Amino acid sequence: MWGLDAKDWVLVGSTVAGPVLAVQAQKWVERARGDKPACSCFHRANGDASIANFDGACADAELH
């Protein structure tokens, strides 16, 4: 199909599946170790540390 050999399809499949499997493996490792997810505070990720948007939970998560 499309002039690709089996070895080419294996390469395409591994290129697509590799990152997906890597993310799933990382999630499995984090669950097994009991790690908490990284702080998902939007304003902290964007560097907005104004008092009005400050969330103490983010500061605590960054320290641990």
Side-chain angles (χ1 to χ4, degrees):
M1 183 195 273
W2 294 325
L4 298 176
D5 295 332
K7 64 179 175 65
D8 297 325
W9 285 112
V10 170
L11 180 63
V12 169
S14 62
T15 302
V16 172
V20 173
L21 295 175
V23 169
Q24 295 304 316
Q26 182 65 35
K27 287 181 180 181
W28 180 78
V29 168
E30 288 174 357
R31 273 194 304 258
R33 289 185 0 189
D35 289 350
K36 294 182 181 177
C39 180
S40 61
C41 302
F42 179 77
H43 59 273
R44 297 289 287 174
N46 289 321
D48 182 10
S50 65
I51 298 300
N53 291 333
F54 182 73
D55 183 3
C58 291
D60 292 340
E62 290 173 359
L63 296 175
H64 300 288

